[in-house]
Amino acid sequence: QVQLVESGGGLVQPGGSLRLSCAASRRVDSSVPMGWYRQFPGTERELVASIRSGRDPRYADAVWGRFTISRDNAKSTVYLQMNNLKPEDTAVYYCYAKVAGDGTYWGQGTQVTVSS
């Protein structure tokens, strides 16, 4: 079992920045894909960004050039730096870790609200 604990959400004005963190309760191998989804009210979760082994980050088109995913393998922690935030980025953000043989673990979700 792996528990993922997220932090860093909140209220920010358009154009502002936030940094989300997601720490695993135990060591997660660097080869395990980790990343972030987000969910808008009444919709399914959508992938925002993912990373494996600290390389080859992938992003949704909507966040390309504004969000940066990174990973500290020693701490089994993944980060999402969000810059130039827009009102349409308002959502609940969930981190995940896809462990082979175990399935996908999810964090509890953190609210990000972009509003003036």
Side-chain angles (χ1 to χ4, degrees):
Q1 288 282 336
V2 178
Q3 291 184 331
L4 302 174
V5 180
E6 300 153 354
S7 60
L11 173 64
V12 64
Q13 293 186 344
S17 298
L18 283 174
R19 188 192 194 208
L20 305 183
S21 299
C22 172
S25 60
R26 64 166 177 81
R27 182 182 177 278
V28 174
D29 191 85
S30 62
S31 65
V32 170
M34 296 183 72
W36 298 88
Y37 276 69
R38 66 185 180 186
Q39 187 170 24
F40 305 109
T43 69
E44 295 185 355
R45 295 180 189 179
E46 63 178 39
L47 181 65
V48 176
S50 64
I51 191 167
R52 175 186 291 190
S53 299
R55 302 190 303 267
D56 193 25
R58 300 186 178 187
Y59 300 96
D61 289 345
V63 307
W64 186 271
R66 299 187 297 122
F67 291 11
T68 302
I69 189 170
S70 61
R71 181 168 178 166
D72 185 334
N73 292 319
K75 296 180 179 179
S76 295
T77 298
V78 64
Y79 305 95
L80 186 68
Q81 178 67 43
M82 305 185 293
N83 297 329
N84 191 21
L85 282 160
K86 303 176 181 180
E88 51 263 43
D89 294 317
T90 296
V92 179
Y93 285 71
Y94 297 89
C95 72
Y96 75 93
K98 190 175 292 185
V99 179
D102 282 3
T104 301
Y105 294 95
W106 295 95
Q108 79 280 8
T110 185
Q111 176 70 45
V112 172
T113 302
V114 185
S115 176
S116 56

